[in-house]
Amino acid sequence: MPSFRNELHLNDLEVALALEGEERRQQDGVELIPSENYTYPEVLELLGSVFTNKYSEGYPGRRYYGGQEFTDQIENLARQRACALFRAEHANVQPLSGSPMNQAVYLGLLQPGDTILAMDLSHGGHLTHGAPVSHMGRLFNFARYKTQPSNGGAIDFDELRAMARNVRPKLVLCGYSSYPRDLDYASFKSIADEVGALTMADVSHYGGLIAGNALRNPLDAGFDVMTTTSHKTLRGPRGGIVLCRREFAGKIDASVFPGLQGGPHMNVVAGTAVTLKKASTPDFHAYAKLVMRNAKVLAEALMEHGMTLITGGTDNHMMVVDTVASVGLDGGAAENILDAVGVTANKQIIPDDPRPPLKPSGIRLGTPAATTRGMGEPEMRLIAELIAESLRSKGDAAVVKRLRSNSVEMCRAFPVPGIAPPS
Ligand SMILES: *Cc1c(COP(=O)(O)O)cnc(C)c1O
């Protein structure tokens, strides 16, 4: 046992036990929340390194505090690697997470009250895309576009064009947290150009799949700004990265600091630098493709078990199961049953969901974390069985008990990076 564990046990038993419990939970459970992943052991170490002690307000070469020779090195590395990886002209790696990252872009490039065209929350957009409960939703005038059932559940660009002509947005925003398809960035760009709007893609969920050349890169279609978290498919520490064209570099940097934040978290920036280097390797490209292959296998197996998927499948790392239509259970009840089986998923609203957010119509599943552990096609088929059988039993205690021991046994064969295997 490393000595920090001994210290923690002696000084704070409650937190020590919670840490052990969380490790056991992550080791013994199947993680299917599509926004989660297991970061690299090197990143875990860097997060706990002395870089956390350092204040680095400002940017490399122009900081407000001394002692920056090594923090400047890691931030420059992270910025250069981000630009190379995503074919971007400028990168800011300081946002403390995905939400402040998006806020910094809106506040840096627009004026309060400006109109932003963004994807509706229930159709897959994120809270920070102007959901009425978010502060950004009060500060800016969001117009929300939707997916169309008549279009196979995809975005209808004729409708989007008509909407853009009507509301004259200053910014056209795309990207999603709950939409199982790739996006046609060229169409977004042509609509934005027609009305003189800026373009922004928030690829927080699938930045790693773009880095791995498995999904399209909006910057290749001429987008002005792209934002991504570093901790989802990219597998890094929790943080945000803004990528943009050179002409917006000054506005974006000033908006992140001093506009929105104080000192960046340099322990995170160090982890981001390592993550971006790893994401440029052939191994990571193979990983990105496997994530999507596993998602296809899981989606198809679920449909073979009679489950109804929104849009009828997936082209990325995630899928949304309509549990009400499939088995007559709301997403909250389904999430609880799956938790008992050792499968972690999240309840999810579906397009124009008539049900409330805590008892929505579905669940959202994704394969980035399971793929990181090394799970492949056989495991995806087994997981589909665990899900379908447990939900169909409506959480019958005997069924759940049997399935839980199957899932724990499967997990034992796939150690979690950064957790010592059970002895
Ligand atoms: C996760 C996510 C965010 C926010 O990231 P946090 O780190 O949770 O603040 C923003 N946009 C999209 C599309 C996301 O999926």
Side-chain angles (χ1 to χ4, degrees):
M1 202 163 24
S3 73
F4 112 84
R5 300 259 165 163
N6 292 334
E7 288 289 313
L8 193 62
H9 260 267
L10 285 173
N11 297 327
D12 197 332
L13 188 59
E14 289 148 296
V15 171
L17 292 179
L19 173 61
E20 282 169 19
E22 178 63 14
E23 286 183 337
R24 215 174 311 116
R25 189 193 71 79
Q26 292 195 14
Q27 173 60 48
D28 287 351
V30 183
E31 184 54 71
L32 293 182
I33 295 174
S35 50
E36 293 191 12
N37 212 331
Y38 307 104
T39 196
Y40 302 98
E42 301 93 304
V43 170
L44 289 175
E45 294 264 328
L46 283 166
L47 290 174
S49 72
V50 294
F51 277 122
T52 197
N53 298 336
K54 189 72 197 108
Y55 247 108
S56 302
E57 285 181 352
Y59 290 98
R62 42 193 182 95
R63 306 272 196 194
Y64 291 82
Y65 298 79
Q68 308 288 353
E69 47 198 304
F70 302 109
T71 46
D72 276 8
Q73 279 178 24
I74 58 168
E75 187 167 351
N76 277 328
L77 280 173
R79 295 201 297 191
Q80 288 154 9
R81 288 172 182 174
C83 287
L85 185 64
F86 292 109
R87 298 182 286 281
E89 292 177 359
H90 179 75
N92 186 307
V93 296
Q94 292 194 5
L96 302 176
S97 206
S99 299
M101 156 191 91
N102 286 343
Q103 290 167 12
V105 176
Y106 307 150
L107 294 164
L109 302 185
L110 306 173
Q111 294 301 318
D114 279 355
T115 296
I116 302 176
L117 196 53
M119 196 157 174
D120 186 85
L121 182 69
S122 83
H123 289 251
H126 188 254
L127 275 174
T128 55
H129 299 182
V133 294
S134 74
H135 290 314
M136 292 301 115
R138 292 193 312 184
L139 223 50
F140 295 95
N141 173 37
F142 280 88
R144 299 183 187 83
Y145 58 88
K146 297 184 168 187
T147 58
Q148 287 306 336
S150 60
N151 200 22
I155 293 163
D156 179 335
F157 284 100
D158 291 334
E159 194 181 291
L160 187 69
R161 190 178 302 271
M163 206 173 161
R165 284 177 181 159
N166 188 28
V167 304
R168 310 300 297 183
K170 287 273 168 41
L171 176 71
V172 172
L173 169 62
C174 63
Y176 50 77
S177 302
S178 181
Y179 179 69
R181 303 292 173 183
D182 199 3
L183 293 177
D184 172 3
Y185 297 105
S187 292
F188 280 106
K189 171 78 175 142
S190 93
I191 290 169
D193 284 349
E194 196 184 312
V195 297
L198 297 173
T199 40
M200 168 179 173
D202 173 3
V203 304
S204 283
H205 247 264
Y206 49 98
L209 303 180
I210 292 172
N213 283 336
L215 289 178
R216 295 182 192 113
N217 182 341
L219 297 176
D220 292 343
F223 266 53
D224 297 304
V225 181
M226 178 165 94
T227 57
T228 183
T229 64
S230 39
H231 49 276
K232 297 180 182 175
T233 43
L234 264 178
R235 274 196 76 184
R238 307 192 84 83
I241 304 173
V242 181
L243 301 134
C244 66
R245 302 210 329 206
R246 197 167 291 111
E247 64 178 293
F248 301 112
K251 280 184 176 168
I252 292 293
D253 284 355
S255 184
V256 173
F257 173 85
L260 191 66
Q261 296 184 172
H265 296 179
M266 297 315 290
N267 55 332
V268 175
V269 171
T272 302
V274 170
T275 297
L276 293 166
K277 182 169 187 187
K278 289 197 180 261
S280 68
T281 60
D283 275 358
F284 192 83
H285 288 213
Y287 165 72
K289 287 178 184 73
L290 269 177
V291 166
M292 293 193 4
R293 171 83 201 132
N294 276 342
K296 271 237 168 355
V297 173
L298 180 60
E300 272 155 26
L302 285 167
M303 291 188 290
E304 280 163 23
H305 284 289
M307 300 286 136
T308 305
L309 267 57
I310 301 297
T311 79
T314 177
D315 293 327
N316 56 24
H317 61 297
M318 72 163 90
M319 64 213 73
V320 180
V321 183
D322 185 332
T323 51
V324 171
S326 304
V327 291
L329 283 175
D330 71 71
E335 180 189 296
N336 289 338
I337 292 170
L338 293 179
D339 255 334
V341 173
V343 172
T344 315
N346 68 272
K347 53 178 133 353
Q348 178 64 47
I349 49 174
I350 64 170
D352 296 322
D353 205 326
R355 309 177 58 93
L358 290 176
K359 288 179 182 294
S361 297
I363 54 171
R364 191 181 60 152
L365 309 170
T367 51
T371 307
T372 297
R373 278 178 94 158
M375 292 180 182
E377 289 197 31
E379 289 74 35
M380 294 304 123
R381 291 187 206 288
L382 185 62
I383 291 167
E385 230 173 271
L386 295 174
I387 294 171
E389 207 180 324
S390 63
L391 295 186
R392 195 155 282 127
S393 83
K394 303 261 167 38
D396 174 83
V399 173
V400 165
K401 189 164 172 235
R402 173 169 55 80
L403 296 177
R404 184 178 181 89
S405 76
N406 292 352
S407 81
V408 170
E409 190 185 298
M410 175 181 78
C411 286
R412 289 271 149 91
F414 297 94
V416 169
I419 301 180
S423 41

